[in-house]
Structures are given as C-alpha cells and as structure tokens.
Amino acid sequence: MVARVAAYGDAEDVAEGTLLFARGQRSIDFFLVLSGRIDVFDVDDHGQPRVFASQGEREFTGELDQFTDRQILVSGRAGAPTRVIRVRRDAFRRLVAAEPDIGEILMRAFILRRVGLIRHGQGGVVIVGPAHAGDTLRLQRFLERNGHPHRLVDTEADPDGDGFLGCLKVREAKMPVVVWGGEHVLGNPTTAELADALGLTWELDAAHVYDLAVVGAGPAGLAAGVYAASEGLDTILIEGMAPGGQAGTSSKIENYLGFPTGISGQALAGRAQAQAQKFGARIAISRQVTGLAHVDRLFRLTLEEGAAVAARAVVVATGARYRTLDLPNFARFEGQGIHYAATAMEASLCADQEVVVVGGGNSAGQAAVFLAGRTRQVHVLVRGRGLAATMSAYLVRRIEASPRITLHTETELTALDGDTRLRSVTWTHRTTGARESRGVENAFLMIGALPCTDCVRGSLALDPYGFVVTGADAGDFGATSPYATSRPGVWAVGDVRAGSVKRVAAGVGEGSVVVQAIHRFLNPESA
C-alpha cells in the first residue's frame, strides 16, 4: 500500500520543526510518513501550541476536511527529521477513486479522527455564555450539527466563566462569545457570520456553471448529491443550516436499512456528506436560497447574502419544518425552553427533570425514548386517541413499556409560563377540558410538517398546502418523471414533494432515483 500511495506523490525530506500544514488553510496536501514523525497540534486558550497526536512510520495525516474545501482545524509539523510522501490535492482525489481499499482505510480513519476532535474539543472553538440562553443554544446547535469541535464555558455554573470573560475584556451584552486560536473573538455572531469566520464556507464563483444544484442537504438532497457526483455530474449542494435536515436532529433511527443497532441522524448525515464530497460534490452550508429563476437556458439560484449559483439542472430537496403553536409567550421561549430537536446537547439541559414532548410521529417517539434515559419523566402529548396510526410499532411498544414515559392522549399544550426562560407548562384534555400545570422547563415540539418552499414560490406549481407538485399532476414535463416539477429542468424529492412518504429511507430512495431523469435531461441524445 505504501508503494501504491507513493505512485501518486513525491518523496521529500523535511527538517525537524518544518510546518507542513496550518490551521485555517484549505485544500492541503496529504502526507504519508516513511520515517520520523509528524506532530499534530492545536493551540490552547492562551494561544500556545499543544501537540495531541503524532503520526509515525507508515501512518498518515488528515481528517474529514481532507475531502472538503473548508479551513482545516489543526496544524502539523515535523517532530524529527522526517521523510514523507507528499500527495497533492488533485492526486489525492485520484488516489481515493482509483485505490478503493486504501480509500476505505483513509475514510474510516478520517471519520474516527473527527469524532476524536469533537469528543476532546481539539481544533475547535470555545463558547462562553449562559448554557440556557437561546443564542448559546443556537451556536452550539449549529456547530454540533456541522461536526465542528467546540466546548462550552457556562457562565451560569462554571467558576472559570467570569475569569475567562475578564481576560477577554468582553461585555456581558455581547454574550455568548465564541473564541478560538487564543486570539479570535466573536461576540454573539449570527450563524452565517460564525460559518464564514471559521471557514466552514467558501467564496462562491458566480461564473461557474454546475451540472446540478441541489437545494437542501437532508437525506433526499444528500442522496441526490452522492449519486449525481458519483456518476460524473458537477454537483453543488446548498444548505441553509447543516446537512441532515429534520432527520439530522433525530437521536436514533432504528428502522433504516443496514443499521440493525440504529444510527443517529447526525451520524448518518455526516457519513453521507463525506461520501458526497469524496465523489467531488461541493457543499455550501449556511447559505439560504431565496429565489429560483431561469435565464439564458440556465437556472440561477439567488442566495440570502446576494450571491448566486448557476446550474443546468436543479433538485429541490428543501424538506419541511415542524409547526409552531399559537400560544402567548411562544416566540419568547423559542430556544429558551422550546426545542425542535432532542439530541445530546438538549438532553444535557434536562438531566433529572420532567420534560414534555408534543407530537405523535416517529420523530416525537424517538425523542421521547431518547429523553427517557436522561430525564426523570417524559410527558408525551398527542391530540389523537393513540399512537398506532402515526408512529412505528417498535416505538409505540417502547413508549408503552417505559416507566419514565407518560402518554397523554387527546391532549394539547395550552399555556407556557416563565421569566427569562420557560419554567412551567399547562396542557388540557380536549374532551373533558381538564387542565394540568407542571414545572417543566423544556418542551420538545414535533408536530406536523410545513414545507420549506418560500424559495420556489412563484417559480413552481405548489399544492394547496404549499408542497411542490410533481409527476403527472405537474403538467407536460411532470409526466417525464414522478419527481419532475412544472418547470423543465427542476425536480423535487423528499418531504417537500406533494404526496411523498415522510421517511428517511423514502427520501434517500427518491434522491438516488431522480439522477437517472437528470441524466436524460442533460444528455437527451444518449437517452
């Protein structure tokens, strides 16, 4: 294997202390160590280098950002007189494609290394602020869902919090504060500002024309990206938040084919993202599409910050979002007690407390089961008479068997109370009118589905509920594919499509199958 890797690169001798790659660089080279060692390091809170791993003979450098155009998280230097094989960026991609057994080893190692960085907070950022504040949770959630290492200094509970802020001379009004590299500080940034500062995005080239632009990187969008890129299409995925969509917030998906012990939505999305990038797809995160136009036989996607992406074909995979409740104080407590995801981050806020889960679908069931293992009691509120009609049987059985889950049927949330954050909730039985109030500080809402179609409203035909109409109901072009929309060259897959099955596996299936129709459209002579 060493000899095969060497065929793609050049042997070099490097002196001890030579910097081979530095945090913040993009598209770095890959190094295989023949002798000596490469020390991998980040910096501590005071800006001092901290070596946390060393790669010796027959070992190699890199983690998941080796496949992406993001800024890398760590630095590497020769820890002794060292001889390496340097594989340049383009040659590295050829290596992974042409040597699949080596590529598998590299991919597994890169995934595990990123897991290690996240677990130990290496190469990441520090968020300083109150743990229960909405903006603190927003930033944590964004970093977690994008697989970016971070740790929290909770100014409400951590004795080091005030000292940390004092050293940085940061006013409380700017909290939460994001710090990295011992010198970079951002006071309560927007998620887009944070993504740009950390190099999670890149400058889009308005002159470049992609074969395919996929709007949304949930399961359906990621599947379309993987299959399109693997079949040679120049592909870009544009995602407003993080890969995974609603599924990315699931604590565990147990009925997805091939994962008998289950897999978290975030882990599934992370693997799919790496897979798409391995085949050459580009993924632009924290980039919200606001409009779709057809100009000079090309599609022009307008982004929130004014940039644009041009493509010959488009897949709309923007998914759906959970409904909100029309209750007094609702907006006030969003992010400060009201949540739309139940991951380890949210669960850490609820340890040994009572919580409420509102909803009767699989997402609500997964959340209830997950939270039951981390909280004192979970109250599940559903408007119907039971769960069997809306939830998979395996989840229903677990909810019925759990002593920590109480199901309240024909019940809805009717009041929210608190101060700076949620402190209590009230629910009401729809038939009897009986009301009950509990000291609940965290409520998880997973009710209904509103399609995310604002960006295509006026460009594509929508049904009365706002979902994209496809197939025969969409007109002449719709008849060419079950996923074709009313506009030639645009397809819709996943939860955003009218009549779709709202399941992860269904979205993945639609995203993979639609690529065949895209090929026919782009290359009609080969059809």
Side-chain angles (χ1 to χ4, degrees):
M1 286 184 173
V2 169
R4 287 157 60 195
V5 171
Y8 293 86
D10 301 298
E12 293 183 13
D13 291 305
V14 292
E16 182 176 357
T18 301
L19 189 67
L20 297 174
F21 50 89
R23 176 172 181 158
Q25 293 179 337
R26 299 179 189 262
S27 305
I28 62 171
D29 297 335
F30 171 81
F31 295 93
L32 172 65
V33 180
L34 299 178
S35 63
R37 75 171 192 272
I38 295 176
D39 290 335
V40 181
F41 64 95
D42 61 358
V43 296
D44 61 23
D45 295 337
H46 304 288
Q48 298 302 308
R50 175 178 55 190
V51 175
F52 63 87
S54 293
Q55 310 300 337
E57 183 180 351
R58 294 178 179 268
E59 296 179 340
F60 50 86
T61 61
E63 55 97 44
L64 280 179
D65 281 341
Q66 196 80 40
F67 287 114
T68 73
D69 291 306
R70 292 183 178 183
Q71 291 182 12
I72 62 170
L73 302 176
V74 296
S75 304
R77 65 190 175 201
T82 303
R83 185 168 178 80
V84 299
I85 299 294
R86 179 193 291 264
V87 181
R88 309 285 178 182
R89 173 74 166 181
D90 290 344
F92 176 76
R93 287 195 176 277
R94 293 198 304 273
L95 164 66
V96 171
E99 311 285 352
D101 56 335
I102 295 176
E104 180 180 353
I105 291 173
L106 299 181
M107 178 62 78
R108 287 179 180 272
F110 290 173
I111 290 173
L112 290 172
R113 287 175 180 177
R114 174 56 66 94
V115 170
L117 291 178
I118 293 171
R119 182 171 296 164
H120 300 292
Q122 291 158 333
V125 301
V126 180
I127 300 175
V128 187
H132 290 87
D135 283 323
T136 303
L137 292 170
R138 170 180 59 83
L139 296 174
Q140 277 189 283
R141 191 173 291 117
F142 176 78
L143 292 170
E144 182 175 284
R145 291 196 57 194
N146 281 286
H148 194 92
H150 65 279
R151 63 183 176 90
L152 173 67
V153 176
D154 180 6
T155 53
E156 294 177 326
D158 195 322
D160 295 332
D162 290 338
F164 206 113
L165 287 174
C167 292
L168 296 171
K169 298 180 180 179
V170 176
R171 297 192 309 275
E172 186 173 344
K174 288 188 176 181
M175 286 200 297
V177 173
V178 182
V179 186
W180 70 100
E183 57 182 8
H184 302 287
V185 179
L186 282 177
N188 196 17
T190 66
T191 49
E193 289 170 343
L194 182 60
D196 288 342
L198 297 180
L200 300 180
T201 56
W202 75 93
E203 193 71 29
L204 292 168
D205 182 0
H208 185 86
V209 178
Y210 292 91
D211 292 326
L212 176 65
V214 181
V215 186
L222 286 167
V226 167
Y227 279 85
S230 69
E231 294 180 17
L233 296 182
D234 185 6
T235 303
I236 183 171
L237 290 88
I238 308 169
E239 167 57 46
M241 173 63 174
Q246 269 191 4
T249 66
S250 294
S251 53
K252 181 175 281 193
I253 303 169
E254 293 192 64
N255 58 354
Y256 187 71
L257 190 68
F259 293 91
T261 59
I263 184 171
S264 73
Q266 183 180 349
L268 184 64
R271 293 183 183 197
Q273 178 184 359
Q275 197 172 9
Q277 290 169 323
K278 181 184 79 170
F279 289 121
R282 304 194 76 175
I283 300 180
I285 65 155
S286 191
R287 294 292 185 257
Q288 196 73 43
V289 174
T290 57
L292 169 67
H294 193 236
V295 182
D296 296 331
R297 295 187 296 180
L298 292 176
F299 291 98
R300 180 181 175 86
L301 297 166
T302 307
L303 307 187
E304 197 169 39
E305 70 280 7
V309 170
R312 299 167 61 203
V314 174
V315 167
V316 178
T318 46
R321 62 186 183 276
Y322 293 121
R323 295 179 184 273
T324 60
L325 293 175
D326 184 17
L327 293 176
N329 297 326
F330 186 88
R332 174 181 163 195
F333 295 129
E334 272 191 299
Q336 300 190 112
I338 294 175
H339 312 285
Y340 300 98
T343 67
M345 187 189 80
E346 288 84 12
S348 67
L349 303 172
C350 314
D352 200 33
Q353 297 180 13
E354 286 187 271
V355 301
V356 165
V357 174
V358 183
N362 273 14
S363 295
Q366 290 160 353
V369 171
F370 173 71
L371 292 168
R374 293 156 175 80
T375 62
R376 186 167 71 249
Q377 191 70 29
V378 180
H379 298 277
V380 178
L381 312 184
V382 295
R383 291 167 57 89
R385 295 184 177 182
L387 297 173
T390 56
M391 189 181 294
S392 293
Y394 80 94
L395 286 170
V396 175
R397 288 193 295 269
R398 288 190 182 172
I399 288 173
E400 292 173 343
S402 174
R404 292 191 178 184
I405 301 176
T406 303
L407 177 64
H408 303 266
T409 59
E410 298 184 81
T411 302
E412 54 191 2
L413 199 62
T414 52
L416 306 165
D417 292 291
D419 40 45
T420 57
R421 55 191 173 96
L422 184 66
R423 298 293 184 179
S424 69
V425 303
T426 300
W427 58 75
T428 303
H429 193 277
R430 300 179 68 204
T431 303
T432 66
R435 293 163 56 89
E436 183 174 358
S437 297
R438 305 290 288 235
V440 169
E441 298 184 359
N442 292 279
F444 297 82
L445 267 59
M446 296 165 181
I447 49 175
L450 292 172
C452 300
T453 49
D454 290 346
C455 64
V456 297
R457 193 173 297 276
S459 300
L460 303 177
L462 307 179
D463 74 2
Y465 303 100
F467 292 89
V468 179
V469 176
T470 61
D473 294 335
D476 292 342
F477 182 66
T480 65
S481 164
Y483 314 111
T485 69
S486 56
R487 182 178 289 275
V490 182
W491 294 261
V493 295
D495 289 2
V496 76
R497 187 177 70 83
S500 65
V501 178
K502 306 301 190 279
R503 288 288 188 268
V504 173
V508 170
E510 292 185 11
S512 60
V513 170
V514 75
V515 175
Q516 184 179 15
I518 296 168
H519 271 296
R520 288 198 305 265
F521 176 81
L522 295 176
N523 304 288
E525 66 282 353
S526 62

